[in-house]
Amino acid sequence: TWFEEAHLGALRIPGCTASFVSPNGLVMTNHHCARGSIEQVSREDEDLVADGFYAASLEEERPIDDYWADQLVEIRDVTDRVYAALEGFEGVEARSQERERIQGEIVSEITEEFGGEDGGYNVEMVELYAGGRYSVYIFKRFTDIRMVMAPELGIAYFGGDWDNFTYPRYNLDMSFYRVYGDDGRPLQTDHFFPLTRDGVKEGDLVFVIGNPGTTTRLHTVAQLEYRRDVEDQAILDLLRTRTPVLEEYATAHPEEAREMDLRNVILGFNNYMKSQTGVVEGLNDPVVMAKRRDHERKFQAAIDADPDLRVEYGDLISRMAELQARKRERAPQLSAFQAFGHPTLGSSTLGRAQLAIQLLSAQQQGMDEEILDQIRTALMGISDQPRELNETQMVQRLEGFVKYYGLDDPFVQEVLQGRSPEGAAAVLMAGTALADSASTAQALSEGTLSPQDPAMPVIWAIIQQMALQEQVEQTVLPEEAEIASALGRAHFEVYGTDVPPDATFSLRIADGVVADYEYNGTIAPIFTTFFGLYDHYYSYGPGSDWDLPEKWVDPPGSFDLSTPVNFVSTADIIGGNSGSPVLDREHRVVGLVFDGNIESLPGNYIYLPERNRTVSVDARGILEALEEMYGAGRLVVEMTSGGLASSEPEADRMR
């Protein structure tokens, strides 16, 4: 009963977790999870991400377009049916195709059972233990979601990127939605988590209900070493070169940057970059890797000790190591083409050129006009980048080719034609018809797009190199997935559910305790207060990342500065858990997950309770800020007593 109530009160929203916090469809999540929605509901001459938003009445709650919230209502284990369908199929490709067929069949059957595509349910196949187990998750999908409240960015992201993934913290990283039913009224639900002012103390048991995104705790050591040396490092290198360019442009062109939603994009990239830095540092930590090697040795020993398991799974770890060695052979190419064609991190001109050469080739082969129109539509669908961003991204891509291949490589020479990356990009941009969407449209309408366009030889050389990389991926990755699936089955047979499966952005319950920890030669407190927030503001000063929104600079006398604002616990979380409620034994919200400490970043592949801490907004701080700083008494009444007030005056009468 306890667990059923826990999963029915939780919600999954795009990229994050949320939860019902009243019987009237009120939903709580993080500000950083809601930024896109806040931007969307901002009207002309409004910047609600920066300035905040509060709907003082039900009528003022703003609808969010193309948004959803999923409530998990049922889980069905279908492992036996999937594996029965796979019997008799030999070879990686054949098994992969049959697995895809049977999964689609099962999902379709259950979707029809719940009313079909328009039935209001979302049915998903979830692979656990890398395909060692298969479950169908059935979600009730809500699509009438409205914005209720969001604080200012300055208080929700207090400390900026400097404080990201750190603690002590002083953030009100919160936002509130409301789910409306088919009748256009606030949804009535029996499953929700009220907020409590009782707070937490050292040693208190807490539960985090959320949707952790992905972990790699069942990966082999060889897989982790490949990530450390190649894959994750390539992503870091990409973000470290591209993000500063975006920041410079946003600073120089604030209006254009806002139209591009560049602020939120940059915040996301910086968050991911800091996260990946911690991940790579952990993979270089000898203690962490020694623990992973120890687990792998014990796992192999357990397999070898059982004759049946040894026959079925005995060579999997060594086979996986051989695959990682094969992948390393093409490591420079993987790094050089990282995020090629990305709408923000790539050059729009090179993206157009990739489609343009497809179009010219299709025309030469005499393909149907329908196919040609599809390519033309895709080509014109590539959005314009500001010219300086476009050219700079092109230069950086060419510099990456030099870095990873070497200046003397024939491929690099073919692309640069004896020029520097800057010179080659300038010549290409000056002469190509693909520099922007207007000139592209003109070339298509006049039929002047030709193989002589200066972008064509460059993109042709690039496509040939990418094809070599794809050949490796097409041979290695399916085999890697098959071995990973077998390793997942082996883990399940050796350990059962004592070792949980890797995260899959599906619902998990993590338990932990409120606990301090040692850091930087001192001890982190279990919670921080608003006193600390103001100490940071006055210590760093206005204009810094610890600046405060205007209304916070001079708080009302009734605002209790001793109220806890953030706290830490040992609950095990990962990306996707953002917005998760932190509950006590009675299903009451004591906090709202928004981050982990810097020591928790290796949590992608190992959980160390002596280091890992989940950082949450304290429910006491949420209620104090809503009541005293934002005058949002109707939300406080609703989250603490369940009463629905249509306006602030009505909430006052309900107190």
Side-chain angles (χ1 to χ4, degrees):
T1 302
W2 195 99
F3 283 103
E4 181 180 10
E5 182 65 23
H7 82 70
L8 287 171
L11 296 169
R12 187 177 65 172
I13 59 176
C16 287
T17 299
S19 62
F20 286 121
V21 287
S22 89
N24 313 301
L26 189 65
V27 170
M28 181 172 69
T29 189
N30 289 145
H31 185 275
H32 76 261
C33 295
R35 280 182 199 142
S37 301
I38 302 167
E39 191 80 67
Q40 185 198 119
V41 301
S42 297
R43 296 168 181 163
E44 191 174 354
D45 299 326
E46 287 183 334
D47 186 357
L48 300 184
V49 173
D51 301 332
F53 171 76
Y54 173 52
S57 66
L58 287 174
E59 290 73 21
E60 295 175 55
E61 295 177 357
R62 298 188 183 182
I64 306 166
D65 295 332
D66 301 320
Y67 201 72
W68 50 262
D70 281 348
Q71 179 189 43
L72 180 63
V73 296
E74 188 179 345
I75 302 173
R76 298 182 188 179
D77 189 315
V78 294
T79 305
D80 291 344
R81 182 173 171 183
V82 172
Y83 277 102
L86 293 176
E87 288 182 6
F89 284 86
E90 300 293 336
V92 172
E93 185 175 352
R95 288 177 61 83
S96 176
Q97 290 177 351
E98 177 60 16
R99 186 184 298 111
E100 185 175 343
R101 185 201 66 78
I102 188 63
Q103 289 184 22
E105 180 180 290
I106 294 170
V107 168
S108 294
E109 288 177 6
I110 298 177
T111 299
E112 287 304 310
E113 180 185 334
F114 280 82
E117 295 293 336
D118 299 324
Y121 287 84
N122 177 38
V123 180
E124 294 182 8
M125 179 72 69
V126 175
E127 297 185 9
L128 303 173
Y129 297 99
R133 310 293 295 176
Y134 292 89
S135 294
V136 172
Y137 281 52
I138 303 162
F139 299 91
K140 174 63 178 174
R141 172 155 288 189
F142 303 102
T143 55
D144 188 350
I145 317 293
R146 307 186 192 183
M147 179 63 63
V148 178
M149 188 274 169
E152 306 90 336
L153 179 63
I155 198 69
Y157 197 49
F158 186 74
D161 192 54
W162 290 107
D163 277 6
N164 193 22
F165 295 114
T166 70
Y167 184 80
R169 294 287 287 282
Y170 309 89
N171 286 50
L172 275 176
D173 194 349
M174 62 180 189
S175 287
F176 295 90
Y177 298 141
R178 191 182 304 279
V179 174
Y180 281 71
D182 295 336
D183 58 1
R185 298 178 180 178
L187 181 76
Q188 299 302 294
T189 176
D190 295 329
H191 310 287
F192 63 94
F193 310 130
L195 270 67
T196 175
R197 296 183 191 269
D198 289 351
V200 294
K201 61 183 184 301
E202 182 81 29
D204 276 359
L205 175 65
V206 294
F207 302 90
V208 171
I209 320 295
N211 299 280
T214 57
T215 53
T216 54
R217 296 179 185 177
L218 300 187
H219 279 200
T220 66
V221 171
Q223 286 176 288
L224 295 179
E225 290 174 337
Y226 176 80
R227 283 187 56 186
R228 176 193 65 197
D229 300 338
V230 180
E231 194 170 25
D232 288 358
Q233 191 59 55
I235 294 171
L236 269 181
D237 290 344
L238 179 82
L239 291 175
R240 285 170 176 167
T241 56
R242 302 299 198 273
T243 306
V245 172
L246 299 177
E247 290 173 331
E248 290 174 12
Y249 180 83
T251 300
H253 308 279
E255 289 302 318
E256 292 86 346
R258 185 183 173 190
E259 290 178 8
M260 297 167 60
D261 195 26
L262 204 52
R263 173 177 52 191
N264 288 337
V265 170
I266 291 169
L267 287 172
F269 286 156
N270 280 329
N271 178 72
Y272 190 65
M273 183 161 48
K274 195 167 187 179
S275 170
Q276 285 299 106
T277 299
V279 167
V280 172
E281 287 177 353
L283 288 169
N284 283 285
D285 186 326
V287 174
V288 168
M289 294 305 287
K291 287 179 179 289
R292 288 303 309 258
R293 290 189 183 93
D294 182 59
H295 169 76
E296 188 164 286
R297 280 194 296 270
K298 291 175 180 177
F299 178 43
Q300 183 70 60
I303 292 173
D304 292 340
D306 185 309
D308 292 335
L309 294 182
R310 185 170 63 251
V311 170
E312 183 79 12
Y313 307 118
D315 64 344
L316 292 178
I317 293 175
S318 61
R319 286 174 58 197
M320 185 64 84
E322 292 169 4
L323 281 181
Q324 304 314 301
R326 286 170 57 189
K327 286 166 65 177
R328 283 176 184 269
E329 294 173 3
R330 300 294 297 177
Q333 290 84 342
L334 171 72
S335 302
F337 292 103
Q338 193 73 236
F340 190 88
H342 190 281
T344 307
L345 298 177
S347 159
S348 57
T349 293
L350 290 180
R352 289 191 190 96
Q354 191 173 9
L355 287 168
I357 204 166
Q358 290 181 29
L359 178 62
L360 293 174
S361 176
Q363 288 172 335
Q364 188 177 20
Q365 296 173 44
M367 289 191 175
D368 293 341
E369 192 63 29
E370 183 179 351
I371 295 175
L372 298 178
D373 282 342
Q374 290 175 354
I375 301 175
R376 291 188 191 100
T377 300
L379 178 55
M380 291 308 303
I382 295 178
S383 300
D384 277 331
Q385 292 171 314
R387 187 180 179 91
E388 62 188 90
L389 265 184
N390 185 5
E391 187 166 345
T392 302
Q393 301 281 40
M394 188 184 298
V395 169
Q396 291 186 320
R397 179 65 62 183
L398 299 181
E399 288 175 342
F401 293 157
V402 174
K403 173 182 177 180
Y404 292 110
Y405 281 82
L407 186 59
D408 296 330
D409 187 272
F411 160 63
V412 176
Q413 289 297 310
E414 186 177 359
V415 168
L416 296 182
Q417 293 292 305
R419 303 182 180 94
S420 67
E422 293 85 353
V427 169
L428 195 156
M429 288 295 292
T432 182
L434 304 168
D436 55 47
S437 58
S439 59
T440 301
Q442 181 178 353
L444 290 177
S445 65
E446 296 177 355
T448 55
L449 183 64
S450 74
Q452 282 68 50
D453 187 284
M456 292 300 103
V458 173
I459 200 65
W460 176 243
I462 289 173
I463 287 174
Q464 288 179 305
Q465 286 297 316
M466 292 175 70
L468 293 174
Q469 180 65 32
E470 288 171 3
Q471 288 174 12
V472 175
E473 292 176 352
Q474 289 169 1
T475 56
V476 171
L477 296 187
E479 186 177 355
E480 184 177 49
E482 192 74 13
I483 295 174
S485 179
L487 280 167
R489 295 195 300 276
H491 265 100
F492 190 77
E493 292 202 36
V494 171
Y495 300 109
T497 56
D498 289 344
V499 173
D502 272 321
T504 55
F505 196 45
S506 55
L507 199 65
R508 305 288 178 95
I509 297 180
D511 60 279
V513 295
V514 178
D516 60 20
Y517 66 101
E518 295 183 7
Y519 84 108
N520 198 28
T522 186
I523 296 177
I526 61 168
F527 61 75
T528 60
T529 71
F530 286 115
F531 275 122
L533 180 143
Y534 282 95
D535 174 70
H536 277 62
Y537 168 68
Y538 285 109
S539 295
Y540 291 101
S544 70
D545 285 294
W546 295 267
D547 202 353
L548 283 171
E550 184 177 352
K551 75 170 58 173
W552 282 83
V553 174
D554 186 20
S558 56
F559 185 60
D560 185 355
L561 295 176
S562 68
T563 305
V565 59
N566 293 162
F567 72 91
V568 284
S569 68
T570 62
D572 181 14
I573 67 162
I574 201 70
N577 270 118
S578 290
S580 297
V582 186
L583 307 180
D584 64 12
R585 298 168 184 264
E586 284 75 45
H587 289 126
R588 300 181 304 176
V589 175
V590 295
L592 171 65
V593 170
F594 74 95
D595 207 355
N597 61 350
I598 200 80
E599 294 86 352
S600 73
L601 290 175
N604 181 279
Y605 42 83
I606 192 169
Y607 171 65
L608 302 172
E610 67 275 12
R611 298 186 188 181
N612 289 40
R613 288 296 181 272
T614 290
V615 186
S616 305
V617 188
D618 197 298
R620 293 168 289 185
I622 292 172
L623 295 171
E624 183 72 11
L626 287 173
E627 194 155 40
E628 301 297 335
M629 296 299 296
Y630 295 104
R634 77 183 187 96
L635 300 188
V636 173
V637 168
E638 185 173 354
M639 291 189 291
T640 56
S641 71
L644 178 62
S646 61
S647 64
E648 284 301 325
E650 185 178 347
D652 292 339
R653 293 192 294 271
M654 295 171 63
R655 292 176 185 271

